[in-house]
Amino acid sequence: MEHTLVAVFGHRGDAQQALDDLVGAGFSRQHVRLSDGGPGRAAGAGEEQSFGSGIKHFFTELFGGDRSEPARMYSEAIARGHYVLTVTAPNEPEVERAADIVERHGPVDIDEHARQWQGAMQGGDAMRGQALSQQSASGSSQGGGAGSAQGAAMAGSRQRAADSTAIPVIQEELKVGKREVQRGGVRIYQRIVETPVSESIGLREEHINVERRAVDKMVDPADIAAFQENTIELRETAEEAVVEKTARMVEEVIIGKQVTQRQEQINDTVRHTEVDIEQIAPDDDAYFRGHWSSNFARGGGSYDDYAPAYRYGSSMAGSELYRGRPWEEIEPGLRTNWEARNPGSTWEKMKAAIRHGWERMTS
């Protein structure tokens, strides 16, 4: 089943921006159309073309006849220079998505405008113009009787049931956790430092001395064995310094962490919503006005001075804070709340009216 969304804009710039956003969101250019501010003229997504044989014929097909109230209403909008944007979607979720996009650009309230056009069009209950959808068969333009029946089955895709309203009650919760953060620390560098040192050591060296002396004496028979060729070799020795380095550990640097625990008190605020339920009896205003005439009229003033007190008492009777409790128990709290809300009104003067409103709802 095809669905058609119809929205009316007072300014072409808003309508064009909505059209561009729809195309950017994936809607086909063939299924998004914008009227050109006058009857019988329309533009597609960037190119001039007509809606069938004209905008009047388009609305006739869409709403099932040119005498239907929606067709007359939108034709009147075109005649007055407004811009009508239409989107055709294959299913209801898609037309809902299109309506969300269109609503961001401020379409006009066609209901209110229709009431202003009463002199130009005889309208009854005009339909909402920001998000109208038509459920029709894809071939609804073919066949007069079937097309009219399907066009008459106009359903507002964005309308909600009017017989019930959900009021959310919201409350914040405070959750306290913890996370690890950096608070500084210690960075330790280990490097090599060279320090000059000086040590003394005694070294021994040998030196060979050769000395010749003149001798004139007879050879001793004991030395005759030395009268032959011979080689005598003597070597010199010396000591030199030998340096050896050994590494010794002379100190330790101990690195560690000390973990401590501390308690921190977190103070914050959380919010919540409260719903006060006011029990409204039939024709309360007439009832309270009669009570005022009988009890307070002679004291001066008007009923309008006492009406807020009657309503306050009846509304507090339905509050969760005071419901089911006797008057003597709740009076201090009601008095504080009343004087805070109405600084110019004294509790003693309005107490009787407030209590009567409370008893009206609790008796």
Side-chain angles (χ1 to χ4, degrees):
M1 299 289 289
E2 284 187 345
H3 298 255
T4 301
L5 173 76
V6 184
V8 177
F9 292 87
H11 301 283
R12 179 174 180 82
D14 296 337
Q16 185 64 48
Q17 186 61 49
L19 184 147
D20 294 340
D21 286 357
L22 286 168
V23 173
F27 289 91
S28 172
R29 290 177 176 267
Q30 298 178 353
H31 297 151
V32 183
R33 295 184 176 181
L34 172 63
S35 72
D36 202 26
R41 298 167 58 199
E47 61 182 48
E48 296 293 330
Q49 57 182 354
S50 63
F51 280 148
S53 60
I55 198 68
K56 183 177 180 180
H57 178 65
F58 170 75
F59 286 138
T60 299
E61 290 184 349
L62 183 62
F63 298 111
D66 58 357
R67 293 183 178 276
S68 67
E69 192 62 36
R72 295 172 59 198
M73 179 171 56
Y74 285 102
S75 296
E76 182 70 17
I78 291 294
R80 291 176 176 269
H82 288 72
Y83 299 88
V84 176
L85 177 69
T86 63
V87 186
T88 302
N91 51 51
E92 187 171 353
E94 280 296 285
V95 83
E96 290 278 347
R97 187 168 71 91
D100 289 336
I101 296 173
V102 170
E103 286 177 356
R104 294 199 294 263
H105 299 281
V108 302
D109 188 343
I110 198 66
D111 291 342
E112 183 176 347
H113 281 66
R115 287 192 292 269
Q116 298 174 0
W117 300 336
Q118 287 299 326
M121 54 178 290
Q122 301 298 323
D125 183 16
M127 300 184 68
R128 183 177 181 84
Q130 294 98 318
L132 286 176
S133 64
Q134 175 204 17
Q135 294 184 350
S136 62
S138 59
S140 60
S141 60
Q142 301 176 1
S148 298
Q150 292 161 351
M154 192 68 182
S157 304
R158 307 284 299 169
Q159 293 178 349
R160 298 292 182 262
D163 57 348
S164 65
T165 301
I167 302 176
V169 178
I170 303 170
Q171 179 172 337
E172 291 182 334
E173 294 184 355
L174 179 65
K175 293 184 178 180
V176 179
K178 57 184 180 179
R179 63 180 179 180
E180 188 174 282
V181 297
Q182 294 292 335
R183 301 255 184 210
V186 176
R187 181 179 290 114
I188 298 176
Y189 298 94
Q190 179 176 329
R191 61 183 183 273
I192 297 176
V193 180
E194 294 184 354
T195 303
V197 295
S198 178
E199 294 287 345
S200 296
I201 187 172
L203 301 176
R204 183 179 63 85
E205 293 183 353
E206 293 179 344
H207 299 280
I208 297 175
N209 296 322
V210 178
E211 182 181 355
R212 289 176 177 269
R213 293 185 298 176
V215 179
D216 185 13
K217 69 177 182 177
M218 294 300 290
V219 176
D220 190 345
D223 295 328
I224 196 66
F227 190 62
Q228 62 181 350
E229 293 183 356
N230 191 16
T231 301
I232 299 174
E233 183 177 305
L234 295 178
R235 292 185 176 273
E236 299 175 341
T237 62
E239 293 179 338
E240 63 181 14
V242 178
V243 178
E244 180 182 359
K245 297 181 180 179
T246 58
R248 298 179 58 84
M249 185 169 60
V250 297
E251 185 182 5
E252 289 182 334
V253 177
I254 308 300
I255 304 172
K257 291 183 179 180
Q258 181 180 6
V259 179
T260 60
Q261 295 284 346
R262 63 186 178 89
Q263 296 292 327
E264 182 174 345
Q265 187 69 30
I266 305 299
N267 297 315
D268 207 332
T269 59
V270 296
R271 300 175 297 172
H272 70 279
T273 59
E274 293 183 352
V275 177
D276 292 332
I277 302 174
E278 178 181 357
Q279 302 292 336
I280 303 176
D283 201 13
D284 273 348
D285 188 70
Y287 173 80
F288 289 139
R289 188 179 294 274
H291 183 269
W292 171 82
S293 299
S294 302
N295 296 273
F296 306 117
R298 292 187 298 272
S302 65
Y303 171 71
D304 292 338
D305 297 332
Y306 286 82
Y310 286 117
R311 289 194 294 268
Y312 175 73
S314 60
S315 65
M316 290 299 102
S319 173
E320 292 289 345
L321 188 60
Y322 302 111
R323 185 183 302 170
R325 299 168 60 184
W327 171 263
E328 292 75 14
E329 182 180 338
I330 69 171
E331 181 180 355
L334 291 179
R335 176 173 185 170
T336 301
N337 192 16
W338 170 263
E339 291 177 345
R341 292 186 181 185
N342 306 272
S345 178
T346 61
W347 172 259
E348 295 302 329
K349 180 180 179 181
M350 297 297 175
K351 172 183 175 180
I354 295 172
R355 180 167 184 173
H356 187 75
W358 181 81
E359 291 177 345
R360 163 76 167 162
M361 304 307 298
T362 57
S363 59

